Amino acid sequence: MAQFDALRSGVSGARAAEIDQGLRAHMNKVYGTMSVGMLITFAAAWAISGLAVTSDPSLAAGQIGPDSYLTSLGVALYTSPLKWLVMFAPLLFVFGFSAGLGRMSAATAQIVFYTFAAVMGVSLSSIFLVFTGTSIAQTFLVTAIAFAGLSLYGYTTKKDLSAMGTFLIMGVIGLIVASIVNIFLASSALAFAISTIGVLIFAGLTAYDTQRIKTEYVAHAAHGDAEWLGKAAIMGALALYLDFINMFMFLLQFMGNRE
C-alpha cells in the first residue's frame, strides 16, 4: 500500500483520479477473468467425471465400488500411464504460458488462460470420484469466503507485503517437490504436513498477489502502457486463480468426506 501511495502521489490530481478509476476497472477485469476460469474448470471437472464413471455394468472397463464403475475413458485418465500427463499438464501449461506471454496479444493470452482452465478441470476431475459432492461444495464455499477476505486485506492494507513474496514462492517450490516425492512414498503424515503448509502459503500468496497486481497497475498506468496492462490483467487473473485452486485443494484434504 505504501508503494501504491508513493506511485500515485507522483501524478497530478486529475491523473490520480483517472488512475484510481482505471485501477477499479483493471481489478474488475482480473476478478472477472479469474471467475470465468473457475467456472470453466469446475464445469470441465464435473463433465469429465460424469463421462469417466458409470453405474451401468455394460459400460464398465473397471470397478471402483459396489455399483460404481470406470468407463474406458476413466481407466485411461486415472489408471493408465496417461494419468501422469493429466496430473502434470497444468504445471507444464503454466510454465509455457508464462514463457510465451511476451509474444502473445492480450486476446490470445485470454484464450490460452481459458484453455488452461479447462485442462486444469480435467486434472481435477478425480475429486468427484474421491470426495462427496456435498463436501466439495462446502469446501469451495469456505475457500471462496477465505479468498475474498484475504484478497480484500491485500488490496486495502497499508503494510508492504512485497518482502514476503520471495519466501512464499520458495515455499511453493518446496511444496511441489514434497508433493512429487509423496506420490511415491504415500506417507499420510507428510501429506498432512503438505496440506497444512499449503493452506498457509496460498493464503499468504492471495494477499500478496492482490497487492502486487494493484501496485504493478499503478506503476505502468502512469506511463500509459496499455498493451502491457491488457496482458497484466490476464496474468493477475492466473495468479489469483492458482491461489484459489491450490487453497481449495489443500483445504479439501481436511474438509472433504471421502466416498
Side-chain angles (χ1 to χ4, degrees):
M1 190 68 176
Q3 292 180 358
F4 169 77
D5 291 337
L7 289 166
R8 186 179 176 278
S9 64
V11 297
S12 65
R15 180 58 178 156
E18 183 180 343
I19 288 176
D20 288 344
Q21 183 178 2
L23 175 61
R24 288 192 292 271
H26 182 74
M27 295 305 295
N28 285 339
K29 182 174 181 179
V30 168
Y31 288 122
T33 302
M34 172 199 161
S35 298
V36 173
M38 295 293 299
L39 288 174
I40 291 173
T41 294
F42 283 98
W46 180 81
I48 292 297
S49 67
L51 294 173
V53 180
T54 181
S55 58
D56 185 354
S58 65
L59 300 176
Q63 188 167 5
I64 56 175
D67 297 305
S68 186
Y69 306 91
L70 287 177
T71 64
S72 56
L73 175 64
V75 169
L77 290 178
Y78 307 132
T79 66
S80 76
L82 181 61
K83 68 181 181 182
W84 298 108
L85 177 60
V86 173
M87 184 182 302
F88 291 109
L91 184 62
L92 297 175
F93 209 116
V94 167
F95 288 145
F97 187 19
S98 300
L101 181 65
R103 299 186 294 273
M104 300 179 191
S105 66
T108 300
Q110 188 169 35
I111 293 172
V112 173
F113 170 69
Y114 290 149
T115 303
F116 163 73
V119 171
M120 179 67 83
V122 175
S123 183
L124 297 183
S125 61
S126 61
I127 65 173
F128 289 98
L129 281 67
V130 178
F131 301 99
T132 64
T134 299
S135 67
I136 291 173
Q138 290 173 341
T139 305
F140 183 88
L141 179 61
V142 170
T143 306
I145 293 171
F147 177 89
L150 290 162
S151 191
L152 180 62
Y153 171 77
Y155 189 85
T156 59
T157 183
K158 294 184 179 298
K159 181 179 180 181
D160 184 3
L161 304 179
S162 58
M164 61 190 290
T166 302
F167 172 77
L168 291 170
I169 295 301
M170 290 176 61
V172 171
I173 295 172
L175 280 178
I176 293 173
V177 172
S179 298
I180 292 174
V181 169
N182 204 40
I183 290 175
F184 303 99
L185 295 181
S187 168
S188 58
L190 181 56
F192 179 82
I194 290 171
S195 297
T196 302
I197 296 171
V199 170
L200 296 176
I201 286 176
F202 284 101
L205 277 172
T206 298
Y208 164 77
D209 282 332
T210 302
Q211 186 180 83
R212 177 181 57 80
I213 292 166
K214 178 181 180 181
T215 303
E216 288 180 352
Y217 171 84
V218 177
H220 286 80
H223 299 90
D225 194 350
E227 177 62 23
W228 185 92
L229 291 172
K231 290 189 283 190
I234 308 302
M235 290 306 294
L238 174 63
L240 293 179
Y241 168 94
L242 290 173
D243 294 339
F244 187 105
I245 287 290
N246 281 285
M247 190 157 51
F248 166 77
M249 290 301 295
F250 286 125
L251 282 173
L252 191 60
Q253 302 305 311
F254 298 112
M255 301 178 61
N257 293 323
R258 297 181 181 271
E259 292 280 11

